[in-house]
Amino acid sequence: MGVNSRRRLVTATAAAVTVLAAATGCGGDDAADDGTITLTVDVFGQFGYEELYKQYEADNPGIKIVERGTGTNLDEYSPKLTQWLAAGKGAGDIVAIEEGLLVEYKANPQNFVNLLEHGAAELEGNFMQWKWDQALTADGSQLIGLGTDVGGMAMCYRTDLFEAAGLPTDRDEVSALWPTWDDYITVGEQFAAKNTGASFLDAATNTFNTIVLQTAGAADGYHYYDLENNLVVDTNPAVKQAWDITMDIIDSNLSGKYGAWSDEWVSAFKQAKFATIACPAWMTGVIEGNAGPEAAGKWDIAQVPGDGGNWGGSHLAVPAQSEHPEEAAKLLKFLTSPEGHIAAFEAKGPLPSSPQALEDPAITESTNAYFSDAPIGQIFGEGALSLKPVYMGPKNQAVRTEVENAVRTVELGQRTAETGWADAVNNAKTAAEK
Amino acid sequence: MWLARLDTKASPYLYIAPFFVIFAIFGAYPLGYTFWVSLHDWDLLAADHPFVGFDNYSKLLGDGDFWNSVLNTLGIFVISTVPQLLLALWLAHLLNRQLRARTSFRMSILIPNITSTAAVAIVFGQLFSREFGMINWALDLIGIDAIDWRNNKIGSWVAISTMVDWRWTGYNALIFLAAMQSIPKDLYESAAIDGANPVRQFWSITVPMLRPTIIFCVIISTIGGLQLFTEPLLFNSGPNPIRGGPLRESQTMTMYMFENAFAPHFNFGYGSAIAWMLFALIVVISLINVLVIRRLGNSTRKEG
């Protein structure tokens, strides 16, 4: 219930804010009579910049910062951003872009300010190399955005359900249970044998996403598209390998089959209906939000089976339509500085993409009370520095949707593993051509 | 003198002009522009939009997912509209009698219509939930296995139709009731004297006299039913609810249009082509409905 109603409320509010902003003249001329410049920042989810804005406004008189869209779902945010860019009007002076969509926006770089022309070149060392490269156009002449967070991986689990099933609850012992995904299935079978009334995992699609980003990262560094942007869903062994592991998990009947992000999925969190969930750094906030305060201390974080990998993460960009590109670029550089990364992590938990920030004690020594005081800085941070990124091709989002969807049809028993795979390949090809 | 003549000739046009001016700006222009867009390869973000003629339309005709959305739309439309209008007619007939507190009964059937679609979809979405839903719980009590309403084609059609019916039956009933009240009472009196029972009176007087109203309700329901969007979208929560389930079980045409025009495809030309196909379909179905209902009315009258 919560998700949809909240989502609508957020849209309504966002729409109202947009109208208000237009009505009060922000659309026309942001510079007020006293010379104050208003910079609008468009985000989704939780970026955790509130304190940074205050600090920046204090240090830079004449700048006022307005943030829109906190808490909005990415599903809802990205069509809006696209419409603003297409219309040449409406976008903020700084916009957040998720990595899966960045490739599509990068194909039309004329919509964005080239940050290299605003002194970003010297900041390269502040970011993991791959994060920096993600926002660089193919010819290297334009930099669209600077990195915010990355999605280092882990496995979150419920200690109360593990205890009920007679499994260890200590995070190191739990990590030791599943070095590989096969081990994970074995543990799951032990769990299922105890009939706790809960499933072992939430949904096969979440797990599949984790696995495909691991297998691709461990192999050639790409999954659905190769580095020349050819669609290789059917020929890339990394994708098939991830598919097969996921099919084993589905066959073992351990999934609760709650469609990820659905209302049922949210209810299942509340009612403790599953014991584990693949969790990139940003998922910890989602778990806390869905399971609610009454589950505080019942969750913990262990290592993810298999290799490390990255799932998710964003960049900040300045749309070409901004009327104050100079000032916006300056604020953007401040928000994505190592100090900015640390402040955001402390506020809302997105894992920095800046090596300097990741090595800072503020992050390496941080813990999360909700997850039984798990040392999140250490768990996610260690993997983040060594993680192997996965290249995303032009229609990555549409293709990923098709493949994930095929996983779901098999999980629900609507398709066999073979016909599901055929669907995944065919539908991905159709989607890539649209 | 000429001014007075101009006044009598031109004034009526000036009086009706506001509607047509507003329609031209907000109705005709977007319609024409959508058609123009549908003739292009229109990536929402790209700077160039090359002209491709009717390519989008020919692609659409060979697009299985598109035809699936047409089938879903028609399926949901039939399951929801037919019982809805019959029920509305029957309700109006009942409310047309001498009842105590008649006005409050008449007003209360409109209550579902003033609730927000989103609220209805969320509440019904919970009722039809696979694991935690009340409907499956009730089915379980009488020994029927849980139905996965969202991932079953007919199941999802039924669930969505229920929401539509719940919201619109009262609305149509009130329109029918208003029309029923304009039927002269003496028709019924003379029919009664001739020995016609209430059922015969209903079919031979009420229904034929209501024919224009029924046609109106059918057309309004057709337009609304074929544009169904919010209910199925909110019913399918989760990632990409715009697909209407893993196998597109309940994806309607407007949802398919949205999926193509916006995330994840951003193909505005293709989306516009779907919009025009939807427009054409609504015109065709409305015409068929009108013809069928005319025929029905005539035959009843002849037999009567």
Side-chain angles (χ1 to χ4, degrees):
Chain A
M1 170 143 193
V3 169
N4 278 325
S5 50
R6 198 165 54 235
R7 207 190 278 173
R8 302 209 120 244
L9 184 68
V10 167
T11 326
T13 318
V17 168
T18 316
V19 169
L20 270 181
T24 51
C26 292
D29 184 10
D30 286 354
D33 292 341
D34 58 357
T36 306
I37 290 173
T38 304
L39 295 176
T40 310
V41 183
D42 285 320
V43 299
F44 57 92
Q46 302 285 353
F47 276 68
Y49 288 154
E50 290 73 13
E51 291 302 317
L52 289 170
Y53 296 147
K54 278 182 205 153
Q55 188 189 333
Y56 192 82
E57 282 174 347
D59 295 348
N60 295 272
I63 299 278
K64 199 173 157 297
I65 304 169
V66 178
E67 185 181 88
R68 300 187 299 194
T70 310
T72 313
N73 251 300
L74 181 59
D75 275 5
E76 189 153 332
Y77 169 81
S78 68
K80 249 192 304 187
L81 176 58
T82 306
Q83 285 163 39
W84 288 330
L85 293 176
K89 204 169 165 72
D93 299 287
I94 294 180
V95 296
I97 303 177
E98 209 267 343
E99 66 168 13
L101 290 157
L102 183 68
V103 279
E104 258 172 270
Y105 292 133
K106 209 164 74 169
N108 298 288
Q110 76 281 1
N111 290 322
F112 297 96
V113 165
N114 185 357
L115 294 175
L116 293 177
E117 289 167 9
H118 290 270
E122 65 208 53
L123 302 175
E124 192 168 345
N126 281 354
F127 299 89
M128 293 179 207
Q129 190 60 47
W130 62 270
K131 189 77 179 174
W132 172 269
D133 292 342
Q134 264 185 339
L136 210 56
T137 50
D139 58 3
S141 65
Q142 183 173 345
L143 185 74
I144 296 205
L146 288 175
T148 59
D149 61 320
V150 294
M153 304 228 216
M155 183 65 78
C156 295
Y157 66 100
R158 280 195 75 114
T159 49
D160 53 343
L161 289 176
F162 267 50
E163 197 173 352
L167 291 166
T169 55
D170 176 77
R171 65 182 74 90
D172 293 326
E173 288 174 48
V174 171
S175 301
L177 287 177
W178 52 50
T180 69
W181 286 101
D182 280 342
D183 299 326
Y184 176 76
I185 295 175
T186 313
V187 176
E189 280 161 353
Q190 289 166 14
F191 178 87
K194 291 283 163 60
N195 285 326
T196 54
S199 310
F200 190 55
L201 63 133
D202 60 327
T205 45
N206 272 341
T207 318
F208 170 76
N209 244 317
T210 305
I211 301 173
V212 76
L213 291 165
Q214 287 178 338
T215 53
D220 301 319
Y222 56 82
H223 55 348
Y224 305 131
Y225 282 91
D226 69 14
L227 302 175
E228 276 80 48
N229 288 337
N230 303 308
L231 185 70
V232 290
V233 174
D234 48 343
T235 52
N236 186 356
V239 177
K240 189 68 181 19
Q241 192 192 340
W243 175 272
D244 289 339
I245 297 173
T246 310
M247 291 304 121
D248 288 344
I249 294 176
I250 290 175
D251 282 343
S252 61
N253 209 14
L254 296 175
S255 167
K257 305 179 189 177
Y258 304 104
W261 309 102
S262 71
D263 296 345
E264 278 183 302
W265 189 64
V266 176
S267 306
F269 271 106
K270 285 229 162 49
Q271 308 195 12
K273 282 290 190 180
F274 56 83
T276 65
I277 178 171
C279 74
W282 46 264
M283 186 70 94
T284 55
V286 176
I287 295 173
E288 188 173 342
N290 285 346
E294 58 277 17
K298 292 181 179 166
W299 282 90
D300 206 331
I301 310 175
Q303 300 287 334
V304 69
D307 308 311
N310 181 59
W311 176 5
S314 300
H315 288 77
L316 292 183
V318 178
Q321 59 186 270
S322 166
E323 287 179 11
H324 309 287
E326 191 66 44
E327 291 81 0
K330 199 172 156 225
L331 170 60
L332 190 157
K333 285 189 282 183
F334 169 73
L335 292 175
T336 55
S337 65
E339 301 75 47
H341 276 106
I342 293 171
F345 177 82
E346 285 177 337
K348 301 283 177 186
L351 191 66
S353 61
S354 155
Q356 291 89 331
L358 283 170
E359 280 159 7
D360 194 284
I363 287 184
T364 51
E365 287 165 17
S366 71
T367 58
N368 187 328
Y370 191 86
F371 289 86
S372 313
D373 290 319
I376 44 168
Q378 192 192 328
I379 294 175
F380 290 113
E382 264 177 22
L385 279 173
S386 61
L387 68 79
K388 300 181 190 93
V390 172
Y391 174 77
M392 312 232 168
K395 286 276 183 179
N396 179 73
Q397 200 65 16
V399 170
R400 175 187 147 184
T401 300
E402 294 300 342
V403 179
E404 251 182 57
N405 190 63
V407 168
R408 181 141 177 78
T409 58
V410 179
E411 180 177 36
L412 290 171
Q414 296 172 315
R415 291 280 189 268
T416 63
E418 289 74 35
T419 51
W421 175 248
D423 268 7
V425 171
N426 290 334
N427 295 343
K429 284 181 179 164
T430 314
E433 276 160 23
K434 267 186 180 159
Chain B
M1 185 66 190
W2 64 271
L3 205 63
R5 206 181 305 149
L6 187 72
D7 183 39
T8 47
K9 292 231 158 151
S11 295
Y13 294 100
L14 277 177
Y15 290 134
I16 58 163
F19 168 78
F20 287 97
V21 170
I22 289 174
F23 174 75
I25 298 171
F26 294 102
Y29 171 72
L31 208 62
Y33 188 68
T34 306
F35 183 66
W36 171 245
V37 171
S38 75
L39 301 178
H40 294 74
D41 181 6
W42 198 294
D43 183 321
L44 206 48
L45 286 172
D48 304 318
H49 309 299
F51 184 83
V52 293
F54 284 90
D55 262 19
N56 282 325
Y57 289 91
S58 59
K59 246 190 261 171
L60 202 53
L61 293 179
D63 182 346
D65 290 338
F66 169 69
W67 291 111
N68 171 62
S69 76
V70 173
L71 177 75
N72 287 341
T73 310
L74 293 177
I76 296 172
F77 167 64
V78 170
I79 313 187
S80 64
T81 310
V82 174
Q84 180 192 140
L85 291 182
L86 290 177
L87 194 64
L89 202 56
W90 180 63
L91 264 177
H93 182 62
L94 294 182
L95 288 169
N96 200 21
R97 297 180 182 180
Q98 296 296 332
L99 295 167
R100 245 174 246 260
R102 203 164 51 166
T103 313
S104 69
F105 276 116
R106 286 177 180 175
M107 292 323 293
S108 58
I109 61 165
L110 199 64
I111 287 174
N113 193 247
I114 56 174
T115 50
S116 106
T117 322
V120 175
I122 289 165
V123 170
F124 276 71
Q126 300 275 313
L127 291 179
F128 283 103
S129 166
R130 167 175 57 107
E131 196 109 343
F132 314 112
M134 212 161 99
I135 307 233
N136 275 349
W137 170 78
L139 287 178
D140 189 51
L141 286 185
I142 54 169
I144 298 174
D145 279 345
I147 297 171
D148 194 348
W149 295 98
R150 285 188 175 75
N151 306 312
N152 171 312
K153 203 167 190 94
I154 303 294
S156 63
W157 289 5
V158 169
I160 292 164
S161 299
T162 321
M163 294 181 214
V164 177
D165 287 346
W166 189 78
R167 228 166 98 79
W168 291 101
T169 307
Y171 172 84
N172 285 312
L174 272 196
I175 294 177
F176 285 142
L177 179 63
M180 275 178 193
Q181 290 181 332
S182 69
I183 301 174
K185 289 276 175 293
D186 49 353
L187 280 179
Y188 292 101
E189 281 161 19
S190 40
I193 293 169
D194 288 346
N197 62 17
V199 176
R200 178 67 186 267
Q201 287 177 20
F202 178 74
W203 288 110
S204 300
I205 301 172
T206 314
V207 173
M209 296 292 279
L210 282 184
R211 211 176 43 163
T213 314
I214 294 176
I215 292 179
F216 169 78
C217 283
V218 165
I219 290 180
I220 293 293
S221 306
T222 308
I223 294 172
L226 294 182
Q227 293 184 344
L228 199 63
F229 181 77
T230 316
E231 286 92 344
L233 182 70
L234 292 180
F235 180 66
N236 291 287
S237 62
N240 303 295
I242 204 79
R243 294 174 73 98
L247 293 176
R248 301 177 188 272
E249 285 90 348
S250 53
Q251 185 177 44
T252 60
M253 287 175 77
T254 41
M255 289 162 82
Y256 193 59
M257 173 175 86
F258 202 90
E259 183 190 348
N260 281 285
F262 300 110
H265 298 302
F266 300 126
N267 190 338
F268 225 45
Y270 203 63
S272 301
I274 301 170
W276 262 85
M277 295 292 277
L278 176 64
F279 177 72
L281 188 76
I282 291 177
V283 170
V284 169
I285 306 252
S286 297
L287 283 176
I288 294 175
N289 277 334
V290 170
L291 289 177
V292 168
I293 285 162
R294 276 217 180 125
R295 187 70 51 92
L296 278 182
N298 285 339
S299 62
T300 7
R301 205 180 280 171
K302 263 175 222 150
E303 282 161 22

